[in-house]
Amino acid sequence: QAQPVESGGGSVQAGGSLRLSCATSGYAYSRNSIGWFRQAPGKEREGVAAIYSNGRTFYSDSVKGRFTISQDNAKKTVYLQLDGLKPEDTAMYYCSHGMGAKDFSSDPLLYGSWFHWGQGTQVTVSS
């Protein structure tokens, strides 16, 4: 099973935008969700956004209204649009392929299991 591959990180000023991409191997019966997570130095990993294979999306409160997760099933790629970036968004961003609720009912960031992780892409926001 190929691990996801992230790209699109970079350095921007506060208020700027970036679009991250996560190339995956596609959904399967045992892998029905893809999530974006981030980890800043000295902090725990935080789930920021997730999407089910049926398109249902979830966001953490810290990014809701600023980040948008989407997917292109034909390209097996999930995107994370980061708008209104703040210095506190600075972190390594990872995507992961995992399993949430079979009926897509619950937030996979809170209740899912994540199996395959990418190497990450760095996002740095300066004030």
Side-chain angles (χ1 to χ4, degrees), residues 32-33 52 99-108 111-112:
N32 68 355
S33 58
Y52 276 114
M99 185 67 187
K102 291 182 179 180
D103 62 356
F104 316 117
S105 60
S106 62
D107 186 343
Y111 304 109

Side-chain angles (χ1 to χ4, degrees), residues 12-19 38 62-68 81-90 93 123 125-126:
V12 297
Q13 291 190 327
S17 298
L18 286 171
R19 189 176 82 154
R38 66 186 181 187
S62 62
V63 306
K64 197 172 295 182
R66 299 187 299 121
F67 292 7
T68 304
Q81 178 68 37
L82 288 63
D83 297 317
L85 282 162
K86 304 175 181 179
E88 52 263 43
D89 294 318
T90 295
Y93 283 70
V123 171
V125 185
S126 58

Side-chain angles (χ1 to χ4, degrees), residues 41-117:
K43 295 188 176 181
E44 292 188 354
R45 186 178 65 199
E46 174 191 16
V48 296
I51 188 166
Y52 276 114
S53 56
N54 69 348
R56 189 175 184 192
T57 59
F58 297 83
Y59 299 92
S60 67
D61 290 341
S62 62
V63 306
K64 197 172 295 182
R66 299 187 299 121
F67 292 7
T68 304
I69 190 170
S70 62
Q71 60 190 358
D72 183 330
N73 288 330
K75 295 181 179 180
K76 297 182 180 179
T77 300
V78 171
Y79 304 98
L80 186 66
Q81 178 68 37
L82 288 63
D83 297 317
L85 282 162
K86 304 175 181 179
E88 52 263 43
D89 294 318
T90 295
M92 185 71 80
Y93 283 70
Y94 301 90
C95 69
S96 179
H97 218 160
M99 185 67 187
K102 291 182 179 180
D103 62 356
F104 316 117
S105 60
S106 62
D107 186 343
L109 294 174
L110 299 177
Y111 304 109
S113 298
W114 301 97
F115 308 124
H116 306 292
W117 294 86

